[in-house]
Amino acid sequence: MCPVSADEHVDSADVTVVANGCTDDTARIARARPGVRVLELPEASKSAALNAGDAVSTAFPRVYLDADIVLESAAVRALADALTGPGAPLAVVPRRDLDVAGRSPLVRAFYAIDRHLPAYRTGLFGRGVVAVSVTGRARFKRFPDVLADDLFLDGQFHAAEKAVIEAARARVATPRRSRDLVRCLTRVRAANAQLRAADPNIRRAARLAWLRHVVLRRPWLAPVAVVYVAFAVRAALAARRGGPAWHRDASSRELSTVDTCSALIASRGRSGRRG
């Protein structure tokens, strides 16, 4: 978030940081940034943060950005530009750059497969950033009370209405240790299952994509595929035992000076972003 809110080239942006249930200095640090609007919510609810930010932001395009995702100002402009003009898509996301530096060997093995999954080439999920035009935002009234907000957004648009913008990149911090990865995968599995049960139009999970589209095309990845499957099975079993619950991966934020339990919405004139 910091490269966006601190960049001198986005001073005209309308930036809103929603600190949802934060217990650290997130709100204070955000308020120190000139021109940043800060909202504080007592509940650790992502959907509540998204709706609160939407309520005070008026400009489009709008970028929804999780505060632990690093998105440079050039990437923000690329997303906004992609949403303007005749025939432009209604929703776009940046390419995701997975940060696996300093992660355990097993975590790196998991992401050696995950980074190649085809769903990330067409979906709006998995990178903590989604940008929408005014027409795209009109597809729904409010974010529902679900944890899988990015999968919800993905389900609002047909394939031809959304795009991955290769010129924009978001750095996604991965969990540092195996136990942290299992917790994150469990939450994602349970949250996605909850949303799919409520809305049959949400895209189905392609459980064998790791084999069909990754390993069979890159057979040298077969050894790490064993690790990938082990994590996936363990998370699936854990998700079945309990429903989705709010969970922050503190491990991927250990080097951060801000507890990124907030959401940022930035919008400006004809172009905007959110996080």
Side-chain angles (χ1 to χ4, degrees):
M1 179 182 77
C2 290
V4 168
S5 57
D7 196 296
E8 63 180 0
H9 296 296
V10 294
D11 285 345
S12 61
D14 175 21
V15 180
T16 301
V17 173
V18 184
N20 51 319
C22 293
T23 58
D24 65 351
D25 289 335
T26 295
R28 181 186 62 80
I29 293 173
R31 286 193 178 95
R33 304 282 189 183
V36 174
R37 178 190 299 109
V38 178
L39 305 178
E40 293 189 71
L41 304 181
E43 56 186 317
S45 167
K46 179 72 174 295
S47 59
L50 295 174
N51 289 322
D54 266 342
V56 298
S57 297
T58 57
F60 286 94
R62 187 168 299 166
V63 179
Y64 297 99
L65 172 68
D66 288 351
D68 57 338
I69 302 300
V70 177
L71 191 68
E72 301 291 342
S73 60
V76 172
R77 289 192 292 271
L79 295 176
D81 291 344
L83 291 168
T84 60
L90 304 183
V92 297
V93 292
R95 174 179 175 179
R96 62 177 196 151
D97 284 346
L98 298 173
D99 182 3
V100 297
R103 272 50 174 180
S104 73
L106 292 179
V107 170
R108 293 200 303 271
F110 174 88
Y111 283 104
I113 298 294
D114 181 84
R115 69 170 64 251
H116 294 296
L117 293 177
Y120 296 117
R121 296 196 292 268
T122 59
L124 301 180
F125 41 79
R127 62 262 292 166
V129 185
V130 181
V132 298
S133 66
V134 63
T135 303
R137 183 58 186 83
R139 283 289 173 87
F140 62 99
K141 293 182 179 180
R142 291 173 56 84
F143 284 92
D145 187 17
V146 297
L147 295 181
D149 55 278
D150 52 357
L151 185 60
F152 165 77
L153 280 172
D154 181 76
Q156 305 308 302
F157 307 99
H158 300 299
E161 297 175 328
K162 52 193 175 185
V164 176
I165 307 305
E166 293 293 329
R169 295 192 175 191
R171 191 170 80 230
V172 180
T174 60
R176 302 187 71 83
R177 296 171 289 268
S178 294
R179 65 177 179 272
D180 304 311
L181 177 57
V182 170
R183 293 191 190 101
C184 287
L185 293 177
T186 300
R187 180 194 65 80
V188 170
R189 277 288 187 113
N192 290 352
Q194 176 197 48
L195 182 59
R196 289 182 176 119
D199 187 350
N201 295 319
I202 298 298
R203 75 159 70 196
R204 303 292 98 183
R207 298 299 185 202
L208 292 179
W210 64 271
L211 176 60
R212 295 171 179 166
H213 301 285
V214 182
V215 177
L216 291 182
R217 299 180 183 182
R218 303 170 183 85
W220 60 89
L221 291 177
V224 294
V226 176
V227 177
Y228 177 87
V229 172
F231 273 116
V233 170
R234 184 174 178 184
L237 293 175
R240 290 174 185 173
R241 289 195 295 268
W246 176 267
H247 168 71
R248 297 187 184 106
D249 173 32
S251 74
S252 64
R253 302 162 181 176
E254 287 176 353
L255 300 180
S256 174
T257 57
V258 179
D259 174 16
T260 52
C261 54
S262 59
L264 163 74
I265 297 182
S267 48
R268 57 180 181 181
R270 292 173 53 194
S271 64
R273 49 230 169 127
R274 122 92 204 259

